[in-house]
PDB file of all heavy atoms in Angstrom:
ATOM      1  N   GLN A  21     -18.294  27.546 -27.211  1.00  0.00           N
ATOM      2  CA  GLN A  21     -17.728  26.204 -27.225  1.00  0.00           C
ATOM      3  C   GLN A  21     -17.007  25.810 -25.941  1.00  0.00           C
ATOM      4  O   GLN A  21     -16.841  24.650 -25.677  1.00  0.00           O
ATOM      5  CB  GLN A  21     -16.765  26.050 -28.431  1.00  0.00           C
ATOM      6  CG  GLN A  21     -17.498  26.172 -29.763  1.00  0.00           C
ATOM      7  CD  GLN A  21     -16.580  26.042 -30.963  1.00  0.00           C
ATOM      8  OE1 GLN A  21     -15.978  27.000 -31.382  1.00  0.00           O
ATOM      9  NE2 GLN A  21     -16.443  24.840 -31.509  1.00  0.00           N
ATOM     10  N   HIS A 122     -18.456  35.132 -32.608  1.00  0.00           N
ATOM     11  CA  HIS A 122     -18.244  33.738 -33.069  1.00  0.00           C
ATOM     12  C   HIS A 122     -19.601  33.036 -32.935  1.00  0.00           C
ATOM     13  O   HIS A 122     -19.743  32.071 -32.212  1.00  0.00           O
ATOM     14  CB  HIS A 122     -17.149  33.080 -32.226  1.00  0.00           C
ATOM     15  CG  HIS A 122     -16.471  31.916 -32.911  1.00  0.00           C
ATOM     16  ND1 HIS A 122     -15.115  31.838 -33.117  1.00  0.00           N
ATOM     17  CD2 HIS A 122     -16.969  30.752 -33.407  1.00  0.00           C
ATOM     18  CE1 HIS A 122     -14.809  30.703 -33.723  1.00  0.00           C
ATOM     19  NE2 HIS A 122     -15.922  30.002 -33.894  1.00  0.00           N
ATOM     20  N   TRP A 123     -20.608  33.611 -33.579  1.00  0.00           N
ATOM     21  CA  TRP A 123     -21.916  32.971 -33.865  1.00  0.00           C
ATOM     22  C   TRP A 123     -22.933  32.983 -32.752  1.00  0.00           C
ATOM     23  O   TRP A 123     -23.993  32.374 -32.889  1.00  0.00           O
ATOM     24  CB  TRP A 123     -21.720  31.547 -34.347  1.00  0.00           C
ATOM     25  CG  TRP A 123     -20.720  31.349 -35.442  1.00  0.00           C
ATOM     26  CD1 TRP A 123     -20.197  32.323 -36.243  1.00  0.00           C
ATOM     27  CD2 TRP A 123     -20.076  30.137 -35.838  1.00  0.00           C
ATOM     28  NE1 TRP A 123     -19.303  31.767 -37.127  1.00  0.00           N
ATOM     29  CE2 TRP A 123     -19.217  30.426 -36.899  1.00  0.00           C
ATOM     30  CE3 TRP A 123     -20.200  28.802 -35.404  1.00  0.00           C
ATOM     31  CZ2 TRP A 123     -18.435  29.434 -37.527  1.00  0.00           C
ATOM     32  CZ3 TRP A 123     -19.463  27.846 -36.039  1.00  0.00           C
ATOM     33  CH2 TRP A 123     -18.592  28.147 -37.083  1.00  0.00           C
ATOM     34  N   ASN A 166     -16.018  35.855 -36.983  1.00  0.00           N
ATOM     35  CA  ASN A 166     -15.456  34.576 -37.344  1.00  0.00           C
ATOM     36  C   ASN A 166     -16.300  33.929 -38.427  1.00  0.00           C
ATOM     37  O   ASN A 166     -17.510  33.692 -38.209  1.00  0.00           O
ATOM     38  CB  ASN A 166     -15.434  33.633 -36.138  1.00  0.00           C
ATOM     39  CG  ASN A 166     -14.883  32.254 -36.517  1.00  0.00           C
ATOM     40  OD1 ASN A 166     -13.689  32.128 -36.763  1.00  0.00           O
ATOM     41  ND2 ASN A 166     -15.752  31.251 -36.618  1.00  0.00           N
ATOM     42  N   GLU A 167     -15.718  33.662 -39.572  1.00  0.00           N
ATOM     43  CA  GLU A 167     -16.347  32.888 -40.639  1.00  0.00           C
ATOM     44  C   GLU A 167     -17.781  33.293 -40.938  1.00  0.00           C
ATOM     45  O   GLU A 167     -18.729  32.540 -40.671  1.00  0.00           O
ATOM     46  CB  GLU A 167     -16.301  31.383 -40.296  1.00  0.00           C
ATOM     47  CG  GLU A 167     -14.900  30.834 -40.150  1.00  0.00           C
ATOM     48  CD  GLU A 167     -14.854  29.326 -39.989  1.00  0.00           C
ATOM     49  OE1 GLU A 167     -15.924  28.698 -39.883  1.00  0.00           O
ATOM     50  OE2 GLU A 167     -13.742  28.763 -39.948  1.00  0.00           O
ATOM     51  N   ASN A 296      -8.917  30.842 -41.547  1.00  0.00           N
ATOM     52  CA  ASN A 296      -9.175  29.513 -40.976  1.00  0.00           C
ATOM     53  C   ASN A 296      -9.152  28.500 -42.096  1.00  0.00           C
ATOM     54  O   ASN A 296      -9.948  28.629 -43.061  1.00  0.00           O
ATOM     55  CB  ASN A 296     -10.544  29.472 -40.285  1.00  0.00           C
ATOM     56  CG  ASN A 296     -10.634  30.343 -39.062  1.00  0.00           C
ATOM     57  OD1 ASN A 296      -9.646  30.920 -38.611  1.00  0.00           O
ATOM     58  ND2 ASN A 296     -11.846  30.460 -38.516  1.00  0.00           N
ATOM     59  N   TYR A 298      -8.598  24.161 -42.997  1.00  0.00           N
ATOM     60  CA  TYR A 298      -8.461  22.799 -42.436  1.00  0.00           C
ATOM     61  C   TYR A 298      -8.207  21.750 -43.481  1.00  0.00           C
ATOM     62  O   TYR A 298      -7.647  20.677 -43.192  1.00  0.00           O
ATOM     63  CB  TYR A 298      -9.740  22.420 -41.678  1.00  0.00           C
ATOM     64  CG  TYR A 298      -9.971  23.144 -40.384  1.00  0.00           C
ATOM     65  CD1 TYR A 298     -10.580  24.395 -40.363  1.00  0.00           C
ATOM     66  CD2 TYR A 298      -9.586  22.587 -39.169  1.00  0.00           C
ATOM     67  CE1 TYR A 298     -10.803  25.061 -39.168  1.00  0.00           C
ATOM     68  CE2 TYR A 298      -9.810  23.245 -37.968  1.00  0.00           C
ATOM     69  CZ  TYR A 298     -10.417  24.488 -37.966  1.00  0.00           C
ATOM     70  OH  TYR A 298     -10.625  25.132 -36.805  1.00  0.00           O
ATOM     71  N   GLU A 354      -7.082  29.568 -37.417  1.00  0.00           N
ATOM     72  CA  GLU A 354      -7.544  28.223 -37.008  1.00  0.00           C
ATOM     73  C   GLU A 354      -6.955  27.185 -37.976  1.00  0.00           C
ATOM     74  O   GLU A 354      -7.048  27.355 -39.193  1.00  0.00           O
ATOM     75  CB  GLU A 354      -9.069  28.077 -37.071  1.00  0.00           C
ATOM     76  CG  GLU A 354      -9.823  28.745 -35.965  1.00  0.00           C
ATOM     77  CD  GLU A 354     -11.320  28.520 -36.050  1.00  0.00           C
ATOM     78  OE1 GLU A 354     -11.770  27.491 -36.609  1.00  0.00           O
ATOM     79  OE2 GLU A 354     -12.060  29.409 -35.613  1.00  0.00           O
ATOM     80  N   TRP A 401      -6.480  25.129 -33.703  1.00  0.00           N
ATOM     81  CA  TRP A 401      -7.821  24.854 -33.193  1.00  0.00           C
ATOM     82  C   TRP A 401      -7.773  23.422 -32.716  1.00  0.00           C
ATOM     83  O   TRP A 401      -7.598  22.512 -33.517  1.00  0.00           O
ATOM     84  CB  TRP A 401      -8.910  25.011 -34.295  1.00  0.00           C
ATOM     85  CG  TRP A 401     -10.237  24.810 -33.645  1.00  0.00           C
ATOM     86  CD1 TRP A 401     -10.889  23.612 -33.471  1.00  0.00           C
ATOM     87  CD2 TRP A 401     -11.041  25.798 -32.985  1.00  0.00           C
ATOM     88  NE1 TRP A 401     -12.061  23.815 -32.760  1.00  0.00           N
ATOM     89  CE2 TRP A 401     -12.174  25.146 -32.454  1.00  0.00           C
ATOM     90  CE3 TRP A 401     -10.901  27.205 -32.825  1.00  0.00           C
ATOM     91  CZ2 TRP A 401     -13.170  25.845 -31.766  1.00  0.00           C
ATOM     92  CZ3 TRP A 401     -11.904  27.859 -32.136  1.00  0.00           C
ATOM     93  CH2 TRP A 401     -13.009  27.195 -31.622  1.00  0.00           C
ATOM     94  N   GLU A 408     -18.368  21.017 -30.117  1.00  0.00           N
ATOM     95  CA  GLU A 408     -18.178  21.224 -31.572  1.00  0.00           C
ATOM     96  C   GLU A 408     -19.540  21.424 -32.265  1.00  0.00           C
ATOM     97  O   GLU A 408     -19.973  20.601 -33.069  1.00  0.00           O
ATOM     98  CB  GLU A 408     -17.346  20.088 -32.143  1.00  0.00           C
ATOM     99  CG  GLU A 408     -17.116  20.116 -33.665  1.00  0.00           C
ATOM    100  CD  GLU A 408     -16.603  21.449 -34.259  1.00  0.00           C
ATOM    101  OE1 GLU A 408     -15.890  22.192 -33.580  1.00  0.00           O
ATOM    102  OE2 GLU A 408     -16.989  21.722 -35.389  1.00  0.00           O
ATOM    103  N   TRP A 409     -20.234  22.477 -31.900  1.00  0.00           N
ATOM    104  CA  TRP A 409     -21.480  22.877 -32.594  1.00  0.00           C
ATOM    105  C   TRP A 409     -22.436  21.671 -32.746  1.00  0.00           C
ATOM    106  O   TRP A 409     -22.655  20.966 -31.795  1.00  0.00           O
ATOM    107  CB  TRP A 409     -21.151  23.586 -33.915  1.00  0.00           C
ATOM    108  CG  TRP A 409     -20.132  24.665 -33.733  1.00  0.00           C
ATOM    109  CD1 TRP A 409     -18.849  24.730 -34.236  1.00  0.00           C
ATOM    110  CD2 TRP A 409     -20.248  25.891 -32.964  1.00  0.00           C
ATOM    111  NE1 TRP A 409     -18.204  25.869 -33.835  1.00  0.00           N
ATOM    112  CE2 TRP A 409     -19.051  26.607 -33.043  1.00  0.00           C
ATOM    113  CE3 TRP A 409     -21.300  26.462 -32.193  1.00  0.00           C
ATOM    114  CZ2 TRP A 409     -18.819  27.844 -32.421  1.00  0.00           C
ATOM    115  CZ3 TRP A 409     -21.050  27.693 -31.538  1.00  0.00           C
ATOM    116  CH2 TRP A 409     -19.854  28.350 -31.687  1.00  0.00           C
ATOM    117  N   PHE A 417     -11.074  18.288 -30.792  1.00  0.00           N
ATOM    118  CA  PHE A 417     -10.059  19.012 -31.522  1.00  0.00           C
ATOM    119  C   PHE A 417      -8.898  19.469 -30.636  1.00  0.00           C
ATOM    120  O   PHE A 417      -7.939  20.081 -31.083  1.00  0.00           O
ATOM    121  CB  PHE A 417     -10.657  20.272 -32.150  1.00  0.00           C
ATOM    122  CG  PHE A 417     -11.308  20.105 -33.490  1.00  0.00           C
ATOM    123  CD1 PHE A 417     -12.626  19.811 -33.614  1.00  0.00           C
ATOM    124  CD2 PHE A 417     -10.565  20.287 -34.659  1.00  0.00           C
ATOM    125  CE1 PHE A 417     -13.242  19.656 -34.855  1.00  0.00           C
ATOM    126  CE2 PHE A 417     -11.161  20.138 -35.923  1.00  0.00           C
ATOM    127  CZ  PHE A 417     -12.499  19.834 -36.011  1.00  0.00           C
TER     128      PHE A 417
HETATM  129  C1  LIG B 501     -14.472  26.356 -37.560  1.00  0.00           C
HETATM  130  C2  LIG B 501     -15.072  27.140 -36.389  1.00  0.00           C
HETATM  131  C3  LIG B 501     -14.630  26.659 -35.035  1.00  0.00           C
HETATM  132  C4  LIG B 501     -14.535  25.161 -34.965  1.00  0.00           C
HETATM  133  C5  LIG B 501     -13.766  24.608 -36.140  1.00  0.00           C
HETATM  134  C6  LIG B 501     -13.624  23.105 -36.098  1.00  0.00           C
HETATM  135  O1  LIG B 501     -15.304  26.494 -38.649  1.00  0.00           O
HETATM  136  O2  LIG B 501     -14.734  28.489 -36.544  1.00  0.00           O
HETATM  137  O3  LIG B 501     -15.489  27.212 -34.091  1.00  0.00           O
HETATM  138  O4  LIG B 501     -15.779  24.618 -34.833  1.00  0.00           O
HETATM  139  O5  LIG B 501     -14.365  24.980 -37.343  1.00  0.00           O
END
Side-chain angles (χ1 to χ4, degrees):
Q21 294 180 275
H122 203 123
W123 311 343
N166 178 72
E167 299 186 355
N296 293 353
Y298 290 84
E354 285 182 28
W401 185 272
E408 176 50 32
W409 310 115
F417 273 90

